[in-house]
Amino acid sequence: EAGVVQSPRYKIIEKKQPVAFWCNPISGHNTLYWYLQNLGQGPELLIRYENEEAVDDSQLPKDRFSAERLKGVDSTLKIQPAELGDSAVYLCASSTGDTQYFGPGTRLTVL
Amino acid sequence: GNSVTQMEGPVTLSEEAFLTINCTYTATGYPSLFWYVQYPGEGLQLLLKATKADDKGSNKGFEATYRKETTSFHLEKGSVQVSDSAVYFCALPDGAGGTSYGKLTFGQGTILTVHP
């Protein structure tokens, strides 16, 4: 069974530029999560989807972050414009019960 | 919401030493408990889980027992290897069950380094 796929794995951009991350969850998993992991810390939730619906986006900085999950499968997380403090690892996870499975993450560096 | 406290690291051991990483939790109800491992430059991998009190999760020689009395879920391994060097996270979900379990709340992570 294929795991959660994310791309790109690494991204380096200059501040104020836009950036987008893509996630393909495990087949059949209705719930999809985006987490932010800062260096030396545990992941923190940005947004959770149940199928196409964003059911928890309370921690998503909506002035610059946006996300979508069209057709309830793949998802895209966007930052526009990026700031220096956005440098981190962005993790996507999916679940069909209480167990979440994570992708390899996208490491973003903002210069 | 639910919370988890994980022992501070880093932890440095010699190969074949015994490992314990402490984790205690505060939760409403009795959610499943998880240990995830993160190898350098990679995402989080599920290491083991336990779904109810007194359950023991195990995988790759690692074990953890869901202790309701002490609200703990300590990770143990009898003989560590160099390849076990990684960051270990204790976690539990916010949701109480049903069809949606909400986000995972993670401990701060424990860096384990094993020397030959």
Side-chain angles (χ1 to χ4, degrees):
Chain A
E1 179 182 84
V4 176
V5 179
Q6 289 188 249
S7 68
R9 289 294 311 277
Y10 304 92
K11 189 73 176 179
I12 300 174
I13 61 172
E14 294 187 346
K15 63 181 180 182
K16 301 185 181 179
Q17 294 300 306
V19 65
F21 314 125
W22 176 80
C23 174
N24 178 245
I26 294 172
S27 177
H29 284 194
N30 297 328
T31 309
L32 184 147
Y33 312 77
W34 283 102
Y35 286 86
L36 168 68
Q37 186 179 24
N38 287 305
L39 188 64
Q41 299 181 24
E44 297 180 342
L45 183 73
L46 288 172
I47 190 168
R48 174 169 65 96
Y49 282 92
E50 294 288 347
N51 299 302
E52 301 91 351
E53 182 182 1
V55 296
D56 184 357
D57 63 356
S58 58
Q59 300 304 309
L60 189 72
K62 298 180 185 63
D63 57 335
R64 297 185 300 107
F65 287 65
S66 64
E68 61 182 10
R69 191 184 184 196
L70 300 177
K71 301 182 181 179
V73 181
D74 295 0
S75 178
T76 302
L77 177 69
K78 299 179 181 178
I79 307 175
Q80 184 172 11
E83 297 179 351
L84 295 176
D86 296 331
S87 295
V89 176
Y90 292 81
L91 293 166
C92 180
S94 68
S95 70
T96 188
D98 68 351
T99 302
Q100 295 183 25
Y101 297 91
F102 286 79
T106 296
R107 182 176 298 276
L108 174 66
T109 302
V110 182
L111 303 176
Chain B
N2 298 342
S3 65
V4 59
T5 300
Q6 195 173 329
M7 70 178 288
E8 295 183 9
V11 175
T12 303
L13 296 173
S14 297
E15 207 165 24
E16 299 184 1
F18 184 85
L19 169 70
T20 299
I21 300 177
N22 290 338
C23 171
T24 57
Y25 66 89
T26 303
T28 302
Y30 302 102
S32 296
L33 301 177
F34 302 87
W35 277 100
Y36 283 86
V37 58
Q38 188 171 34
Y39 298 101
E42 299 185 13
L44 275 70
Q45 298 179 22
L46 176 66
L47 181 58
L48 54 83
K49 65 180 278 191
T51 58
K52 60 183 186 295
D54 299 326
D55 254 7
K56 178 184 287 188
S58 61
N59 185 27
K60 299 181 180 181
F62 290 90
E63 294 182 339
T65 301
Y66 193 155
R67 301 287 190 196
K68 184 175 64 173
E69 313 79 28
T70 55
T71 62
S72 65
F73 192 53
H74 304 323
L75 182 68
E76 298 181 336
K77 186 174 185 181
S79 176
V80 293
Q81 306 300 312
V82 172
S83 57
D84 294 326
S85 298
V87 184
Y88 293 82
F89 293 94
C90 185
L92 77 168
D94 252 9
T99 59
S100 174
Y101 295 87
K103 67 178 182 179
L104 281 176
T105 295
F106 289 86
Q108 67 268 38
T110 300
I111 300 173
L112 171 66
T113 303
V114 180
H115 293 296

